[in-house]
Amino acid sequence: MFDNWQLSSQYPTLFAVSRPVWVNTARPLPPSGARMDEVPLFVRSEGLLVEPRMPGHLIAWLRRSDGSWIAVVEVELFSANRRSRTTATLWLPAGDVSPDDEQSA
């Protein structure tokens, strides 16, 4: 993913990591606000299930030009009936990621 990122030894801006984390998905992927009784049953069962807080895997920290950090996180996503799944790579503000102390211990 970062094959073309020039690494600086004096002022590093990229740190590759591998760590389980919790991801606050409520801000980058907010709920639609639709009433569940108005959504067709096949959509509710086969659509992508996004919870407000989900487990993920932190793969990198990348420093922005304004000095803040972005967490690069992979999250495994499932359909509500768990028959379908995909992995999403999310680029999130540092505040939307927290350590998963239970898994990393």
Side-chain angles (χ1 to χ4, degrees), residues 22-25 27-28 92-98:
W22 284 102
V23 179
N24 170 11
T25 58
R27 190 164 41 170
L92 303 167
D96 285 343
V97 177
S98 60

Side-chain angles (χ1 to χ4, degrees), residues 7 13 15 23 30 32 44 47 50-51 65 74 77 80 86 94 101:
L7 298 176
T13 56
F15 291 94
V23 179
S32 70
R44 285 187 277 164
V50 180
E51 299 289 344
S65 62
E74 291 181 338
L77 300 169
T86 189
D101 294 328

Side-chain angles (χ1 to χ4, degrees), residues 48-101:
L48 180 69
L49 179 64
V50 180
E51 299 289 344
R53 185 173 185 252
M54 299 182 73
H57 194 84
L58 179 66
I59 60 173
W61 286 107
L62 189 62
R63 193 151 205 188
R64 294 176 48 166
S65 62
D66 66 4
S68 64
W69 290 93
I70 293 198
V72 183
V73 181
E74 291 181 338
V75 178
E76 191 168 12
L77 300 169
F78 294 88
S79 61
N81 63 12
R82 309 234 357 133
R83 290 185 180 171
S84 300
R85 70 176 180 185
T86 189
T87 301
T89 302
L90 305 176
W91 294 55
L92 303 167
D96 285 343
V97 177
S98 60
D100 182 348
D101 294 328

